[in-house]
Amino acid sequence: MSDLNGKNGATVIGADFDAIVIGAGFGGLYTVHKLRDEQGLKVKAFDNAPDVGGTWHWNRYPGALSDTETFVYGYSFDKELLQEWPLVNRYTTQPEILKYLKSFADRYDLRRTYDFDTKVTSARFNEYTKLWNVVTDKGERFTAQYLVTGLGLLSAINLPNIHGIERFAGQLIHTGDWPSEGVDFTGKRVGVIGTGSTGTQVITAIAPEVGHLTVFQRSPQYTVPVNQRPLTDDEVRDIRANYDAIWEQVMGSGVAFGFAESTTPAAEVSAEERDRVFESAWQKGGGFRYMFETFSDIAVDPDANEAAAAFIRKKISEIVTDPETAAKLTPHDLYAKRPLCDSGYYATYNRDNVSLVDVKANPIVEITPTGVRTVDGVEHELDVLVFATGFDAVDGNYIKIDIRGRNELQIKDKWSDGPNSYLGTVNDGYPNMFMILGPNGPFTNLPPSIETQVDWFTEMIKDTRAQGKAVIEVKKEAVDGWSDTCEEIANFTLFPKAESWIFAANIPGKKNAIQFYLGGLGAYRGLLQEEREGGYPNFNIEAAR
Ligand code: FAD
Ligand code: NA7
């Protein structure tokens, strides 16, 4: 065990590190920089991946793309980095994001703090020493005063336990754990299960390459064009010249996607004008733009929602040539999942080498050594089976670690009725543990929310250390109150009425729960600021012993 040399304030004698950070995605990397480089703390970090990147290390399937526009899918704090940021296309692809995060790690020499290929298996708070005891899958044990979990909210993959899955003799892949050597699809018979954001991307990307593609669709999707294209020189110049204003707008906005949300209710304009607005958004591209830049009430008012949905349904009937396929692809439920956008998804079904199986009407019975058998008795023969079946979102990685707070309470037991937190970052009974994008964090373009959370809790660490305080714990009433706030806001929207990962409805047996704060980033930042300016009234902050 080493001694502690924190530059300022309280340290807990006997800890190996001031802070242990788990995760090398946007969140973990930024935290290491903040605590280690800005505050001089002694930090250790882990990721089970072989290098930095987080989500963008694992999700390297063909077509993987951020649907946040490039100019706001990154860090905002470093003005020099912003000017050097390669602005190539309107949206940034997985290889480009991975490169960006790797160069961020180089810029701040972050890798030296990490042990890669190392999974944290348990983290337990010792009430006597007030330290976190962290154990890895290599059997190493470390102690630290602070524990930061940047485990990712779309990171624990969901591989459905379909009968016979282990017998498949071809190649079986989940998009969230894509082989780093890539996959050669040339001429192969490929099946894809899942038509969410990931499914639509991978289906559209591989269709031209494969011999035959069979898509197993459980729920049809509303999706609009992404309109990927190179940025013009003028656009790049404008972005670079206006970063201050851009980030100010993003941080004060609702969904933080780099555009102003509409303030006009759909019913305020004529049907013709509504169609014109939807058509213009369709041409411009972007799922969040379509849902939030067109009208102010698509996510909250059933009639406005239906207008937006009906427009997409009309597009499907115009794009897809075979009426039977068009009917299968057409959703009739609410337009209230995370809004999707694509690079020609519906038109992909006009290809001769693509077929669609509606597995709600014709369920999958089993996976055989040679393919997928559906209830109608057909065996769809396959060489490769791709699971684009999403994630055990938000708390999925938390419950895989034996995290215990006070009274040895495991976080998965604390969350048995649904995960909770205060402000998406802290929980009562788990002192000095800070979650990045924990349950009930903001539902936004995520890098600005990550930056907001990390800035806030690292400032709290700095403030309390300066006062000689060592133990930070949120009050239970604050956690309960935050859950109520998140529920109240969610129930004002249509999102809880649609079955998706946003409310944990995608995992069989998982309790449907509110998992996000839908009040917008601007309002969220206001609450964090109030908490800090008020001297952290919702926390008990104490000396070590
Ligand atoms: P992650 O990037 O998920 O990193 C978490 C890391 O922690 C992972 O490397 C994981 O392996 C590691 N880890 C977890 N548990 C352990 C453990 N026990 N021990 C050691 N290491 C562990 N967001 C947007 O805002 N806009 C988008 O357009 C967008 N597109 C996306 C597209 C895809 C395909 C996916 C999967 C996600 C997308 N997201 C998008 C969400 C994306 O996850 C976030 O934007 C962001 O990358 C999250 O960063 P993070 O650091 O919080 O977590
Ligand atoms: P999603 O959005 O959860 O989509 C998963 C898809 O897989 C969806 O179409 C599911 O159908 C389908 N699914 C899941 N389990 C099964 C089974 N057992 N059988 C058939 N089909 C199944 O995950 P994504 O990865 O696409 O996107 C998640 C987020 O990551 C996305 O919003 C981006 O932010 C990045 P369902 O709709 O549940 O009927």
Side-chain angles (χ1 to χ4, degrees):
M1 287 217 193
S2 53
D3 60 322
L4 271 176
N5 318 312
K7 277 185 186 159
N8 46 29
T11 53
V12 179
I13 303 304
D16 296 323
F17 299 100
D18 292 317
I20 284 181
V21 176
I22 316 173
F26 272 98
L29 292 175
Y30 184 49
T31 307
V32 170
H33 168 60
K34 291 289 285 186
L35 292 179
R36 189 195 68 181
D37 303 340
E38 286 188 18
Q39 294 192 36
L41 300 195
K42 191 173 177 202
V43 180
K44 182 80 196 160
F46 301 98
D47 198 298
N48 58 316
D51 197 358
V52 301
T55 292
W56 300 102
H57 166 82
W58 299 107
N59 288 267
R60 45 181 80 210
Y61 58 85
L65 180 79
S66 153
D67 63 12
T68 302
E69 287 168 56
T70 308
F71 75 115
V72 284
Y73 196 69
Y75 298 108
S76 74
F77 73 96
D78 181 337
K79 290 201 174 180
E80 218 178 87
L81 177 65
L82 283 175
Q83 291 307 323
E84 290 168 11
W85 197 354
L87 296 166
V88 183
N89 291 313
R90 188 164 168 224
Y91 301 88
T92 174
T93 61
Q94 176 271 335
E96 288 165 349
I97 303 168
L98 193 55
K99 199 164 154 210
Y100 170 81
L101 288 171
K102 285 182 175 178
S103 68
F104 182 76
D106 290 341
R107 183 181 182 87
Y108 292 105
D109 192 14
L110 298 174
R111 284 188 185 84
R112 72 180 154 90
T113 294
Y114 276 89
D115 282 355
F116 292 105
D117 288 315
T118 305
K119 184 179 275 185
V120 170
T121 53
S122 94
R124 295 163 79 155
F125 183 71
N126 180 318
E127 294 195 55
Y128 176 70
T129 61
K130 314 286 186 215
L131 298 178
W132 281 94
N133 295 291
V134 171
V135 181
T136 72
D137 61 353
K138 297 192 168 138
E140 302 153 309
R141 295 169 179 273
F142 302 99
T143 54
Q145 186 178 356
Y146 308 105
L147 175 69
V148 179
T149 52
L151 307 181
L153 84 179
L154 291 160
S155 176
I157 60 173
N158 168 39
L159 186 65
N161 187 17
I162 300 175
H163 180 69
I165 190 167
E166 71 293 341
R167 286 188 297 148
F168 185 61
Q171 191 175 9
L172 192 146
I173 316 163
H174 191 288
T175 48
D177 189 12
W178 200 259
S180 51
E181 68 279 11
V183 181
D184 180 10
F185 286 111
T186 321
K188 295 205 173 133
R189 298 164 304 173
V190 180
V192 175
I193 301 181
T195 54
S197 171
T198 303
T200 53
Q201 288 184 346
V202 78
I203 289 163
T204 311
I206 66 176
E209 214 185 303
V210 303
H212 189 86
L213 180 63
T214 307
V215 176
F216 299 92
Q217 169 196 278
R218 191 163 68 181
S219 305
Q221 291 285 0
Y222 295 104
T223 162
V224 305
V226 68
N227 194 8
Q228 171 71 318
R229 59 171 175 77
L231 289 168
T232 64
D233 291 347
D234 281 351
E235 283 173 321
V236 171
R237 228 185 340 267
D238 260 16
I239 292 168
R240 291 207 203 287
N242 289 303
Y243 267 127
D244 286 347
I246 286 169
W247 286 111
E248 196 185 328
Q249 190 280 333
V250 166
M251 297 297 184
S253 71
V255 292
F257 268 73
F259 59 82
E261 286 97 0
S262 170
T263 52
T264 308
E268 211 167 84
V269 303
S270 67
E272 294 71 34
E273 174 60 7
R274 260 198 309 274
D275 268 10
R276 195 200 60 73
V277 171
F278 287 136
E279 180 62 36
S280 149
W282 182 274
Q283 297 304 333
K284 191 190 257 182
F288 274 78
R289 283 189 187 270
Y290 186 83
M291 188 180 268
F292 294 102
E293 198 182 26
T294 49
F295 295 104
S296 59
D297 51 355
I298 289 173
V300 294
D301 179 81
D303 292 337
N305 191 273
E306 172 53 23
F311 185 87
I312 300 177
R313 282 189 217 116
K314 184 178 72 138
K315 287 289 185 186
I316 298 172
S317 70
E318 288 165 6
I319 294 168
V320 181
T321 47
D322 171 42
E324 206 180 307
T325 308
K328 282 189 208 165
L329 284 170
T330 304
H332 293 282
D333 52 350
L334 283 169
Y335 174 50
K337 299 179 180 174
R338 188 180 186 278
L340 305 191
C341 47
D342 67 86
S343 300
Y345 176 67
Y346 297 129
T348 297
Y349 293 91
N350 292 337
R351 299 179 62 91
D352 290 339
N353 70 336
V354 177
S355 46
L356 178 64
V357 180
D358 173 356
V359 301
K360 232 175 214 160
N362 181 19
I364 295 173
V365 179
E366 62 171 343
I367 295 176
T368 68
T370 48
V372 170
R373 192 190 308 281
T374 39
V375 82
D376 59 0
V378 174
E379 181 173 355
H380 306 268
E381 293 197 352
L382 302 169
D383 305 306
V384 184
L385 179 54
V386 176
F387 280 81
T389 43
F391 301 89
D392 185 356
V394 184
D395 60 339
N397 272 337
Y398 284 83
I399 57 181
K400 287 186 175 171
I401 305 177
D402 181 10
I403 299 178
R404 296 184 195 212
R406 289 193 193 279
N407 304 315
E408 289 278 297
L409 181 62
Q410 273 194 300
I411 204 135
K412 71 173 164 44
D413 292 331
K414 163 127 179 142
W415 287 349
S416 57
D417 279 339
N420 63 2
S421 78
Y422 178 54
L423 301 172
T425 72
V426 285
N427 217 317
D428 62 294
Y430 297 80
N432 286 352
M433 172 174 149
F434 301 93
M435 300 179 282
I436 303 170
L437 304 180
N440 291 341
F443 183 75
T444 62
N445 167 38
L446 292 170
S449 287
I450 290 172
E451 219 177 315
T452 294
Q453 291 188 329
V454 175
D455 283 342
W456 183 76
F457 70 68
T458 56
E459 283 301 310
M460 177 153 59
I461 288 173
K462 189 162 89 185
D463 292 345
T464 52
R465 289 175 77 84
Q467 296 160 6
K469 300 283 172 64
V471 185
I472 301 167
E473 183 174 1
V474 68
K475 295 174 185 166
K476 183 177 182 307
E477 312 84 86
V479 173
D480 293 344
W482 186 244
S483 297
D484 293 345
T485 300
C486 292
E487 187 169 353
E488 216 171 280
I489 297 173
N491 287 337
F492 177 70
T493 76
L494 299 170
F495 283 101
K497 298 189 172 74
E499 295 212 333
S500 81
W501 61 266
I502 301 175
F503 288 88
N506 63 326
I507 303 292
K510 196 169 172 182
K511 195 174 184 308
N512 276 29
I514 307 291
Q515 302 199 107
F516 286 97
Y517 169 73
L518 300 178
L521 183 58
Y524 177 75
R525 286 173 65 87
L527 295 170
L528 296 188
Q529 195 180 343
E530 244 173 59
E531 185 69 46
R532 182 169 188 224
E533 286 174 0
Y536 306 111
N538 285 298
F539 289 79
N540 292 317
I541 299 174
E542 293 163 7
R545 301 208 182 108

